[in-house]
């Protein structure tokens, strides 16, 4: 038989339960405190880096506590500006085109300026022909900063340096180039090569045209002199033509030519657009006082090639080697021309025999 608890008994049970819960809660709090104390005992550093990107957060540094003002800080930074020096080549961005030049941003404190005459090695009508706002390219620093802290720039200087490097390489390769004559003067003709002004001496122009009519003509040219220090670029039209012609000529060959000029030392013979020299000693086996006594300007004649000098652009000719009998050029030049091929064949055979015997065939050409 069960006994029903009294009201006093129920109150005692509730009181005991409450005290037990309170003791359990206190024990749990004590366990958490002990856990944190244990963690501190493990020596975990306080400055553990966070996993997020600190750059994405606003800085909380206060410059007022740094010991100097913002103005002082800006002045300090200005001391560490780029050290631009004359002669440096830097990248820059075109941001304004003006009447007298262009404004360029190269990262300096003040925008740099490029005068119109420094825009290109070639003549230009306006800045917009060679520059566009927003364009990024290399610039040459010409001078120190002026009183306003502005630098002067140039593109022309860069192009100038690279043009000389290019023509030196072309000369080294003994290249043939083509260039347009833009002017003539008393001494010769003027052309542009890689933007540089070149000069062709009158003696190195091989054409039947009057010199004044060469303007706008494109000529094949070889380099004679490339001297950056003296700013001298000298070229030869004759050498280019001779080289081209030499590729189709050979020593011992008989060609037909026309007398274009007579000098005390010999005659210049046009052979297919290039000029060869018939020296006075190569006209005949017999001694002659002057070429004028044997030859006339515009005479057509047969001559034999006895030397090809591509480097100097010279072709040496002879009629002496074609004489059936010594002195025939003085007494019967027509006989010489009629038997020219026959005599040339004998001459070639003589050269072959000398070469086989180890003799220098060149020396025999000047007999």
């Amino acid at each position: 038989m069960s006994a029903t608890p009294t009201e006093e008994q129920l109150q005692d049970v509730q009181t005991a339960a409450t005290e037990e819960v309170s003791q359990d809660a206190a024990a749990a709090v004590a366990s958490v405190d002990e856990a944190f104390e244990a963690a501190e005992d493990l020596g975990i550093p306080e400055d553990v880096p966070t996993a997020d990107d600190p750059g994405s957060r606003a800085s909380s540094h206060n410059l007022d506590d740094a010991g100097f003002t913002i103005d002082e800080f800006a002045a300090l930074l200005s001391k560490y500006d780029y050290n631009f020096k004359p002669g440096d080549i830097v990248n820059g961005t075109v941001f304004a085109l003006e009447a007298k030049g262009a404004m360029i941003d190269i990262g300096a404190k003040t925008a740099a300026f490029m005068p119109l005459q420094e825009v290109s090695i070639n003549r230009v009508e306006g800045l917009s022909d060679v520059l566009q706002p927003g364009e990024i390219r290399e610039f040459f620093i010409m001078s120190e900063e002026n009183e306003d802290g502005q630098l002067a720039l140039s593109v022309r200087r860069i192009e100038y340096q690279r043009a000389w490097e290019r023509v030196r390489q072309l000369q080294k390769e003994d290249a043939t180039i083509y260039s347009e004559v833009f002017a003539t003067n008393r001494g010769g003709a003027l052309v542009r090569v890689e933007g540089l002004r070149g000069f062709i001496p009158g003696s190195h122009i091989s054409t039947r045209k009057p010199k004044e009519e060469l303007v706008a003509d494109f000529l094949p040219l070889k380099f004679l002199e490339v001297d950056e220090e003296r700013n001298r670029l000298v070229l030869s039209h004759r050498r280019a033509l001779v080289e081209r012609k030499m590729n189709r000529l050979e020593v011992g060959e008989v060609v037909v030519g026309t007398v274009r000029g007579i000098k005390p030392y010999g005659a210049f013979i046009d052979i297919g657009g290039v000029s060869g020299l018939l020296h006075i000693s190569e006209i005949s086996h017999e001694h002659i006082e002057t070429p004028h006594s044997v030859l006339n300007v515009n005479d057509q004649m047969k001559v034999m090639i006895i030397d090809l000098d591509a480097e100097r652009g010279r072709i040496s000719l002879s009629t002496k080697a074609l004489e059936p009998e010594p002195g025939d050029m003085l007494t019967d030049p027509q006989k010489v021309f009629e038997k020219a091929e026959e005599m040339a064949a004998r001459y070639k055979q003589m050269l072959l025999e000398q070469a086989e015997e180890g003799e220098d065939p060149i020396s025999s050409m000047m007999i």
Side-chain angles (χ1 to χ4, degrees):
M1 169 173 191
S2 61
T4 301
T6 64
E7 184 176 347
E8 291 180 358
Q9 289 175 327
L10 289 174
Q11 187 173 0
D12 291 340
V13 170
Q14 290 176 347
T15 300
T18 301
E19 290 177 352
E20 183 177 353
V21 170
S22 298
Q23 291 175 359
D24 291 342
V29 171
S31 297
V32 171
D33 291 341
E34 290 174 358
F36 275 109
E37 290 175 0
E40 291 175 356
D41 290 341
L42 291 175
I44 298 176
E46 296 180 359
D47 58 342
V48 176
T50 58
D52 66 320
D53 181 7
S56 64
R57 302 190 304 273
S59 174
S60 60
H61 294 301
N62 187 352
L63 293 180
D64 292 337
D65 299 330
F68 48 82
T69 66
I70 293 179
D71 290 339
E72 291 171 337
F73 183 65
L76 178 64
L77 287 179
S78 68
K79 296 180 180 180
Y80 295 93
D81 200 359
Y82 291 108
N83 185 23
F84 296 110
K85 303 184 298 298
D88 285 350
I89 294 178
V90 297
N91 288 326
T93 303
V94 180
F95 71 86
L97 302 181
E98 301 181 351
K100 295 184 178 181
M103 303 300 294
I104 314 295
D105 178 13
I106 61 171
K109 292 176 293 184
T110 304
F113 180 71
M114 181 169 62
L116 179 61
Q117 63 269 25
E118 295 296 330
V119 169
S120 174
I121 195 173
N122 299 303
R123 181 176 296 180
V124 296
E125 296 298 328
L127 285 172
S128 58
D129 293 341
V130 291
L131 291 178
Q132 296 297 324
E135 178 181 354
I136 300 175
R137 62 182 301 170
E138 292 181 325
F139 297 91
F140 179 92
I141 298 178
M142 293 195 298
S143 62
E144 300 279 359
E145 294 180 351
N146 62 16
E147 57 186 10
D148 297 323
Q150 190 175 64
L151 291 163
L153 305 181
S154 173
V155 168
R156 184 181 68 86
R157 306 292 179 91
I158 296 176
E159 294 178 341
Y160 184 81
Q161 291 176 356
R162 292 174 181 172
W164 279 109
E165 291 173 3
R166 177 63 176 155
V167 296
R168 281 194 294 268
Q169 182 62 32
L170 289 171
Q171 182 193 38
K172 183 178 179 180
E173 297 170 358
D174 195 28
T176 297
I177 63 169
Y178 285 81
S179 187
E180 182 182 9
V181 176
F182 70 86
T184 61
N185 57 29
R186 186 172 61 181
L190 300 174
V191 296
R192 294 195 184 280
V193 181
E194 299 291 326
L196 302 172
R197 187 171 68 172
F199 177 66
I200 311 171
S203 60
H204 280 268
I205 298 175
S206 292
T207 177
R208 298 179 184 179
K209 274 188 175 183
K211 185 173 54 181
E212 295 74 17
E213 296 181 9
L214 290 175
V215 175
D217 281 2
F218 280 85
L219 303 179
L221 302 168
K222 303 286 284 188
F223 292 93
L224 291 179
E225 183 179 356
V226 176
D227 190 338
E228 183 178 0
E229 290 186 3
R230 299 172 63 194
N231 199 28
R232 286 170 58 90
L233 181 58
V234 186
L235 304 111
S236 173
H237 177 228
R238 186 186 71 194
R239 270 199 61 200
L241 290 181
V242 169
E243 181 183 82
R244 181 190 298 174
K245 188 69 176 179
M246 283 181 179
N247 292 333
R248 302 191 296 268
L249 297 176
E250 61 181 28
V251 172
E253 181 180 358
V254 173
V255 293
V256 176
T258 303
V259 179
R260 294 301 181 192
I262 299 177
K263 301 293 182 181
Y265 52 83
F268 288 98
I269 314 297
D270 185 312
I271 51 173
V274 296
S275 183
L277 176 64
L278 176 61
H279 193 268
I280 188 172
S281 65
E282 286 296 328
I283 294 176
S284 176
H285 284 86
E286 294 291 334
H287 175 74
I288 60 176
E289 294 294 335
T290 172
H292 287 89
S293 64
V294 183
L295 307 172
N296 297 298
V297 173
N298 294 327
D299 280 353
Q300 280 202 336
M301 57 190 299
K302 288 184 178 180
V303 291
M304 189 177 75
I305 299 170
I306 59 172
D307 188 34
L308 296 169
D309 187 343
E311 184 175 348
R312 293 161 56 178
R314 294 181 179 178
I315 300 175
S316 298
L317 308 171
S318 175
T319 52
K320 179 174 74 173
L322 300 178
E323 288 184 318
E325 299 293 337
D328 279 347
M329 273 300 294
L330 305 180
T331 60
D332 192 357
Q334 193 60 36
K335 177 183 176 183
V336 175
F337 303 149
E338 288 175 356
K339 292 185 174 292
E341 284 75 17
E342 179 185 337
M343 297 302 298
R346 293 182 186 179
Y347 190 82
K348 287 183 179 179
Q349 184 61 35
M350 179 188 69
L351 295 182
L352 288 174
E353 292 174 357
Q354 291 177 342
E356 290 174 357
E357 294 173 1
E359 297 181 18
D360 184 4
I362 297 299
S363 61
S364 67
M365 298 176 193
M366 303 302 177
I367 294 175

